[in-house]
Amino acid sequence: MMIGTFLARTRSGQGDRPLVALLVAGGLAAWLLWHPGLVQGLSWPWRWPMVVLGGWALGCAFLRPLALEVGERGLWRLAGTAWSRASLPLFALLLAGRALLG
């Protein structure tokens, strides 16, 4: 039932794609489990911002479908802000750049 709700919200023109964000977050989480050196190899001043950004990005991506389904206003507002939605692509780009550049 939740997937039907995600697809219905996506088709309605709302602009929010929680199912896509959930799948991307799941893929990034699996990738980090396979290659933890992408973040572990960084020095401490660079590692902490990556950990915080990754935690926020993945947390919001996993929380957004729940917040939309349950309808909790505070969670929906926090997970739906523009910078929360932009944190997942930014984190994915940083990880991909780190993987490509070594």
Side-chain angles (χ1 to χ4, degrees):
M1 175 153 156
M2 287 180 63
I3 291 177
T5 304
F6 294 152
L7 295 176
R9 289 179 194 268
T10 301
R11 288 189 194 130
S12 69
Q14 183 179 353
D16 193 16
R17 306 236 189 275
L19 181 61
V20 173
L22 187 64
L23 292 174
V24 169
L28 283 176
W31 189 24
L32 281 174
L33 284 173
W34 249 316
H35 301 287
L38 291 174
V39 177
Q40 286 178 349
L42 294 171
S43 62
W44 278 104
W46 292 102
R47 188 183 308 180
W48 278 107
M50 282 289 284
V51 168
V52 170
L53 177 65
W56 186 263
L58 295 177
C60 282
F62 286 131
L63 178 74
R64 189 176 308 126
L66 177 67
L68 286 174
E69 188 70 26
V70 173
E72 180 68 33
R73 299 272 306 158
L75 293 177
W76 182 80
R77 250 186 255 145
L78 185 62
T81 59
W83 56 273
S84 289
R85 286 191 304 228
S87 64
L88 185 64
L90 176 65
F91 184 62
L93 286 173
L94 286 174
L95 281 181
R98 174 90 172 121
L100 291 175
L101 298 176

